[in-house]
Amino acid sequence: MRKMLRRLLKGVTAAGLLVAGFSSGSVFADGKTKDVLNVAHRGASAYAPEHTLPSYELGEQMKGDYIEIDLQMTQDGHLIAMHDETLDRTTDGTGRVNDHTLAEIKELDAGSWFNEAHPEYAKPEYVGLKVPTLEEVLDHLGPNKKYYIETKAPEVYPGMEEKLLATLERHGLLTDKALAKRHVLIQSFSRESLLKIHDMNPDIPLVQLLWYDTPAVIEDAELDHIETYAVGVGPNYKMIDREYVQNVRDHGLDLHPYTVNKKADMKKLIDWGVTGMFTNHPDRLHEVLKGR
Ligand code: G3P
Ligand code: CA
């Protein structure tokens, strides 16, 4: 009964917000209504070396609404775009990011590994690509784009959140206008990191990432808590079902599963009511969304 009432109220709220140009937590790009966000995961990382400028540019070209950026921090305190805590997988370097200065990391080749791993998408211009700093990504793409930024391993990098917010501020991404248009979403698996950011600036939209090893159930109590600091959740998509999606949406939270690369899965999740998803193939998701 309580659930039914909640659904009814949410429906009324959603209808009212739609009239006003907002959704129940969903993001609207530049005044257009978008009910399912296309998040270019590490850029268009199926087609270019992840977390490099060409990958981000391709994400834009392939109609990603947001460019996803994972953050690590160098020994000398620079935020860089990289998924792993170590350099080994995506560069020709070795060892931990936080054992290296930015100058050392800038010496590395962040593209050749992709050509070797994905010969079908290899390009000569990927050889010798540099690991970009967050600053460089924002300078390159500019304040009119949308960024979905993850604080990775924040427990390893004290001060990461302060540096992130200062960088966003410098780039005009925390103005009232930018916040209203959700030019930045910040995501993390670390609740502590999100709570810290929420404490520093409660107007920044946050997404709680979740990982499940077994079929997922999400309780009202957990959603009630997440609602106090975040606008959405991001679970691994393989472990969720229609009921999970419904529960999250009943709480007015956005739901952005990761990392969805097959059209059949994209369609199923959209049918269940997700409000966006992370994909290495933003072109595929665009086709799916266009075809609805
Ligand atoms: O941020 C969503 C998704 O990217 C989380 O997984 O490991 O790809 O950062 P991961
Ligand atoms: Ca990520």
Side-chain angles (χ1 to χ4, degrees), residues 41-42 68 70 83 150 152 187 189 209 258-259 278:
H41 183 245
R42 313 181 194 178
E68 198 239 0
D70 293 314
H83 177 273
E150 179 175 353
K152 277 272 180 222
Q187 46 163 341
F189 286 100
L209 295 177
Y258 60 89
T259 300
F278 296 84

Side-chain angles (χ1 to χ4, degrees), residues 34-167:
K34 273 194 181 279
D35 59 349
V36 180
L37 291 178
N38 186 340
V39 184
H41 183 245
R42 313 181 194 178
S45 58
Y47 309 108
E50 67 182 60
H51 292 315
T52 61
L53 295 180
S55 183
Y56 296 146
E57 284 167 356
L58 210 50
E60 278 285 316
Q61 287 161 24
M62 291 183 166
K63 310 290 183 198
D65 296 302
Y66 279 81
I67 299 300
E68 198 239 0
I69 306 172
D70 293 314
L71 291 183
Q72 306 284 342
M73 198 158 89
T74 64
Q75 191 180 52
D76 49 344
H78 294 273
L79 295 176
I80 60 166
M82 187 171 287
H83 177 273
D84 298 1
E85 286 172 57
T86 54
L87 301 163
D88 304 55
R89 183 177 61 87
T90 57
T91 74
D92 58 350
T94 56
R96 296 187 59 77
V97 171
N98 64 352
D99 285 338
H100 291 80
T101 63
L102 180 61
E104 288 167 345
I105 290 171
K106 282 291 185 184
E107 293 294 314
L108 304 176
D109 175 344
S112 291
W113 72 271
F114 179 88
N115 285 353
E116 284 156 31
H118 304 285
E120 68 279 29
Y121 297 119
K123 289 189 178 172
E125 58 264 37
Y126 293 161
V127 174
L129 283 174
K130 301 290 178 206
V131 173
T133 62
L134 176 64
E135 196 85 45
E136 288 166 344
V137 176
L138 300 180
D139 274 341
H140 187 77
L141 295 177
N144 295 324
K145 302 293 190 292
K146 295 193 166 190
Y147 303 98
Y148 207 133
I149 301 177
E150 179 175 353
T151 56
K152 277 272 180 222
E155 63 287 351
V156 176
Y157 305 118
M160 171 181 238
E161 292 86 358
E162 287 84 349
K163 280 182 196 275
L164 169 58
L165 267 54
T167 307

